[in-house]
Amino acid sequence: MSTELLLGIITFFTSTIAGIVGLGGGMILIAVLPSFLPVNAIVPVHGLTQMSSNLSRAVFGWKDVKVEVIPKFLIGSILGVSFFATILYFISLTYVPLFIGLYILFSLWSDKFNKKIERFESYYLVGFLQSGLSLIVGATGPIATTLLVKDYNDKHVVVSTAAALKSITHTLKVITFIFFGFVFFDYLGILVAMIIGAVIGSWAGTKLRDKIDGKKFILVLKILLSLMAIKLIVSLFI
């Protein structure tokens, strides 16, 4: 089986997972890519593929996207990417995953923490952190998803709006890599196969999501977010 076909199939399954629960697919995919791509190509190829996956998922669920949060997130994202692209080579961001992980855990499960932080939480700040840090830290998608889970109880709203926001993050990431000189055309065959797999997977995941109970879905999503947060924290020390 060719590399292109195999990566297309893998991306289909990871995109289907993300289409059902709203996250997880990107983390699985980036864990697989080092077996197929050189180190310098992993994050750019992953970014373009995830842009396609999230954008298609948002399009398939466009009726459920909370459009009012997008301008705030976009402004924050542009500022975040500009800021972190500028300071990328001057500061150590070793412990950023630790703070992301702790924020997710406390935000999901601590009412006391939420009361203290709610005045600081906004989609401007979430966009700034999620998109800016995505240039360095792999798993920033849960930042926006965590806030959406708190603001909305509808599974379709959470997944579709998170997809719209993450598509902004990955689009800005791709533009940044182009600016820094990465040549996506060198991986055209792989990218075409992965993008096709991502779009079909988004469609399949959107259809399968209807079969999940709403309340159970939110609980499962909170548990998955918590596991991802714990993985971020533990990975710093192991």
Side-chain angles (χ1 to χ4, degrees), residues 134-185:
S134 73
L135 298 176
I136 311 110
V137 183
T140 59
I143 298 177
T145 305
T146 301
L147 184 55
L148 288 167
V149 167
K150 289 160 62 177
D151 287 348
Y152 305 101
N153 289 319
D154 186 287
K155 61 183 178 181
H156 295 294
V157 168
V158 171
V159 174
S160 298
T161 307
L165 300 184
K166 283 186 276 189
S167 66
I168 292 172
T169 293
H170 288 295
T171 299
L172 291 174
K173 183 193 293 186
V174 167
I175 292 171
T176 303
F177 279 118
I178 292 173
F179 178 77
F180 282 130
F182 184 81
V183 183
F184 285 95
F185 190 79

Side-chain angles (χ1 to χ4, degrees), residues 50-64:
Q50 289 304 105
M51 181 188 78
S52 306
S53 176
N54 283 284
L55 185 58
S56 59
R57 190 155 68 248
V59 170
F60 291 135
W62 66 271
K63 291 182 180 179
D64 298 302

Side-chain angles (χ1 to χ4, degrees), residues 70-128:
I70 292 178
K72 303 172 187 176
F73 185 88
L74 177 60
I75 292 170
S77 293
I78 292 172
L79 293 173
V81 167
S82 302
F83 176 75
F84 282 100
T86 302
I87 67 168
L88 192 58
Y89 298 105
F90 301 102
I91 64 170
S92 173
L93 298 171
T94 304
Y95 292 101
V96 166
L98 173 64
F99 294 114
I100 293 176
L102 290 174
Y103 163 74
I104 291 171
L105 289 174
F106 282 119
S107 187
L108 288 174
W109 304 108
S110 173
D111 291 334
K112 189 178 291 186
F113 175 81
N114 283 322
K115 286 179 181 177
K116 289 184 178 180
I117 203 172
E118 62 185 4
R119 63 179 134 172
F120 302 107
E121 280 187 322
S122 72
Y123 287 96
Y124 293 107
L125 181 59
V126 165
F128 182 88

